[in-house]
Amino acid sequence: MSSKEQTILDDASDGGESFTSIFEDILDAAQASDAEGSEDGYETSEILSEEKCLEMRTYLRAHGEQKFLLKYLFSDDASATDTSESNIREVLYALGIRSSVVLESFDEAAMVQLLQLAITRELSRRIPLDNVTTLDDAISLIKNAKNIVLLTGAGISTSLGIPDFRSDSGIYKRLEAMGLSEPQEVFDLHVFREDPSIFYTFSKEILPTVTRFSPTHAFIKLIQDNDKLLTNYTQNIDNLESHAGILKDKLVQCHGSFAFATCQNCGHKVPGDELFADIRMGVVSRCKQAASADLVQSRKRKRASDDDDDEEQDAQEVDQCNGVMKPDITFFGEALPKTFETRLLGQDIDNCDLLICIGTSLKVAPVSEIIRVLPSHIPQIYISRTPCTHAEFDVSLLGNCDDVVEYICKELGEGWELTHEMIAENAFNGEVAKTADRTYTFTRTSGADKTQEADIMKQEETERNDPDGKNGTSPGESN
């Protein structure tokens, strides 16, 4: 083996810092463009046949990464022998990277890094179950399951006018429009500790403004009422699961919530809504807990040495902790709640008999790893507006989450009546069609979409004008 071949093998096997998160985004985009038939993708016949691609993926799973690379990247019988770069291009194509932008424009070093990630993803892909392939199968599973694990994301709240984070109209785009070049820094723990004013300047964009919940939240409550809910892992920080009545011992708020806030100095915890006024004004919220005796003495000595004339202000700063308050949401660089790991590995991995992912793109680790941690024989159902291209679900139900769960409850029948004001005003009466293998799409009529959009805009305007609900009734709660 040549030194160049060994270098490529070593780089492709390196799971450390040889590639960054940008390659995750590139891989997602490349695989999504192929799945959607994008114009920048190659035709199947241009590089390899689908039979050849399947053969290569099967060999990878059967023999492992090293033998796979030796056979298809460096062997004499590899179909492209001019340069290793052309061989890498073929292997990437076989692993689902069909974007001409990637295959024609990337240099060898970039393609090697992308290759490592593509191989890792292929090896970690779950093989869909042969006996779970249809919408009827999915409904039957829900009806007969006893211990359902739900993994939920922003898509279960968007019908209430609550934006997600990563879409074109999401939180990060809003923050960019406000002049923030790196939107994720708002939720970076190190940035917060250095300058909490950045978070308080922009966090009003994610402040919960409603207590009502969506039909999808009500569906989760129905699963609980039917004694089938094992755990609801939510990535949302709006705390609407609690408003919907999901029991505390059934709920893991993986990314925390605004329900409480904690002083970064003394650890004092308060209800989160005590910070809301400061957040709306963009002012850093400070802890009003009494300062410790040692801290009071230290501040008095400092005040005396500084000879400050503003005695009233100094007295308040001396007597109170005055530490920075941080909402109990999980920032980047901060560990997830301990209950996430202990419950997943200590209970759910052994007891779950059905996984349903609703309204999540599954792009944020470690929560996204739940689909790989649970045993592969556990059926998996995916419900969201857009497909998930980097995971293999048994059945995918694509459309507005509220529409999908409304349909499911009607099919489940007695004991699954989904009563909710949003359904009463705008019930789903669209089409359900099988659009691909294991995939069904729920399509509303255009008139119904406009009615729902008008209702959301009206609700958002009411909440902007009266965020505390003091000028009338509360935003409303669902049955």
Side-chain angles (χ1 to χ4, degrees):
M1 182 185 303
S2 69
S3 59
K4 183 176 183 179
E5 290 172 351
Q6 186 62 56
T7 299
I8 290 176
L9 278 172
D10 292 342
D11 288 344
S13 299
D14 181 6
E17 298 180 352
S18 61
F19 60 91
T20 63
S21 60
I22 189 172
F23 284 96
E24 292 270 5
D25 297 333
I26 292 170
L27 184 58
D28 286 337
Q31 291 180 330
S33 66
D34 173 53
E36 297 168 3
S38 174
E39 292 181 359
D40 74 345
Y42 280 100
E43 293 293 335
T44 301
S45 59
E46 288 189 20
I47 293 185
L48 297 172
S49 68
E50 280 304 301
E51 290 77 10
K52 183 65 174 179
C53 292
L54 178 59
E55 172 198 308
M56 293 171 68
R57 293 195 299 269
T58 302
Y59 188 90
L60 171 60
R61 287 180 173 277
H63 299 281
E65 180 178 339
Q66 289 287 322
K67 288 186 177 180
F68 171 78
L69 291 174
L70 288 172
K71 178 176 177 63
Y72 291 106
L73 204 57
F74 303 122
S75 69
D76 293 336
D77 61 352
S79 55
T81 56
D82 294 337
T83 66
S84 60
E85 187 171 312
S86 61
N87 286 354
I88 295 173
R89 189 176 292 113
E90 281 198 357
V91 174
L92 285 172
Y93 185 91
L95 295 177
I97 311 301
R98 309 292 171 87
S99 170
S100 58
V101 175
V102 172
L103 298 181
E104 291 181 352
S105 304
F106 276 32
D107 60 23
E108 182 177 305
M111 285 197 293
V112 165
Q113 295 181 78
L114 189 59
L115 174 62
Q116 199 283 325
L117 182 57
I119 288 175
T120 299
R121 280 200 175 182
E122 181 63 32
L123 288 173
S124 64
R125 277 183 183 269
R126 169 183 174 271
I127 304 298
L129 303 176
D130 292 334
N131 61 338
V132 181
T133 62
T134 68
L135 176 55
D136 288 342
D137 291 336
I139 293 170
S140 178
L141 283 168
I142 296 172
K143 188 171 186 176
N144 296 312
K146 296 181 180 179
N147 293 301
I148 298 176
V149 168
L150 286 166
L151 171 53
T152 54
I156 72 171
S157 299
T158 51
S159 63
L160 302 170
I162 299 174
D164 60 13
F165 279 81
R166 290 173 171 77
S167 70
D168 291 338
S169 59
I171 293 295
Y172 289 151
K173 288 295 183 182
R174 291 188 183 187
L175 295 180
E176 285 180 5
M178 294 172 67
L180 194 65
S181 59
E182 297 293 339
Q184 291 191 9
E185 287 188 356
V186 172
F187 312 104
D188 186 286
L189 184 62
H190 301 294
V191 173
F192 182 84
R193 287 173 174 169
E194 290 179 3
D195 186 3
S197 67
I198 295 176
F199 172 81
Y200 276 93
T201 298
F202 295 101
S203 59
K204 59 186 175 183
E205 290 295 315
I206 61 169
L207 189 67
T209 58
V210 298
T211 56
R212 66 172 185 163
F213 49 88
S214 71
T216 305
H217 290 98
F219 171 66
I220 299 171
K221 177 64 160 50
L222 269 179
I223 294 176
Q224 176 180 278
D225 291 345
N226 280 277
D227 200 26
K228 293 176 179 289
L229 180 61
L230 183 60
T231 305
N232 177 193
Y233 293 90
T234 179
Q235 300 171 88
N236 298 337
I237 58 177
D238 51 35
N239 200 38
L240 294 185
E241 294 85 4
S242 296
H243 289 292
I246 306 305
L247 298 174
K248 187 176 181 180
D249 64 353
K250 298 284 187 181
L251 181 65
V252 176
Q253 294 176 312
C254 304
H255 296 160
S257 77
F258 277 95
F260 294 94
T262 304
C263 173
Q264 300 301 285
N265 183 33
C266 71
H268 180 60
K269 191 178 289 288
V270 300
D273 56 12
E274 291 189 12
L275 277 61
F276 286 5
D278 288 337
I279 291 175
R280 292 191 184 105
M281 292 186 296
V283 177
V284 177
S285 192
R286 297 285 179 172
C287 179
K288 298 177 177 59
Q289 184 78 348
S292 66
D294 290 342
L295 184 58
V296 169
Q297 291 300 319
S298 174
R299 287 174 174 172
K300 284 182 177 179
R301 287 193 296 270
K302 184 176 186 300
R303 183 179 63 174
S305 63
D306 289 345
D307 195 23
D308 196 333
D309 293 333
D310 194 347
E311 294 183 3
E312 182 177 351
Q313 180 180 354
D314 280 352
Q316 183 178 9
E317 291 181 355
V318 167
D319 294 337
Q320 292 183 354
C321 170
N322 208 39
V324 174
M325 298 299 297
K326 174 185 170 295
D328 288 354
I329 58 178
T330 305
F331 279 34
F332 294 110
E334 191 171 17
L336 266 62
K338 292 182 179 179
T339 53
F340 172 78
E341 183 175 342
T342 56
R343 188 171 182 103
L344 178 61
L345 300 181
Q347 170 187 288
D348 296 349
I349 196 172
D350 295 322
N351 296 294
C352 172
D353 58 6
L354 175 62
L355 171 67
I356 308 177
C357 298
I358 313 180
T360 172
S361 62
L362 293 169
K363 291 185 177 180
V364 179
V367 180
S368 61
E369 294 304 308
I370 290 177
I371 62 174
R372 297 184 178 90
V373 171
L374 291 177
S376 59
H377 69 272
I378 302 299
Q380 297 187 2
I381 301 171
Y382 183 72
I383 301 173
S384 192
R385 184 184 289 273
T386 55
C388 179
T389 60
H390 60 274
E392 299 286 352
F393 287 89
D394 298 307
V395 180
S396 293
L397 309 178
L398 307 181
N400 295 327
C401 296
D402 293 344
D403 294 341
V404 177
V405 300
E406 179 188 346
Y407 179 92
I408 289 174
C409 287
K410 286 180 179 178
E411 293 297 310
L412 287 170
E414 184 178 356
W416 291 89
E417 292 79 13
L418 188 62
T419 305
H420 194 283
E421 60 186 15
M422 292 173 66
I423 293 177
E425 295 171 0
N426 194 23
F428 174 69
N429 60 353
E431 297 181 351
V432 180
K434 185 176 182 178
T435 52
D437 185 37
R438 300 173 180 268
T439 302
Y440 295 79
T441 301
F442 292 66
T443 307
R444 270 186 172 266
T445 61
S446 57
D449 281 337
K450 290 179 180 178
T451 300
Q452 187 178 43
E453 182 179 351
D455 289 343
I456 292 173
M457 292 177 66
K458 182 178 179 181
Q459 180 67 30
E460 285 181 320
E461 182 178 2
T462 300
E463 289 155 2
R464 283 196 299 270
N465 295 333
D466 185 21
D468 297 316
K470 295 179 179 178
N471 298 330
T473 60
S474 64
E477 293 188 358
S478 307
N479 295 324

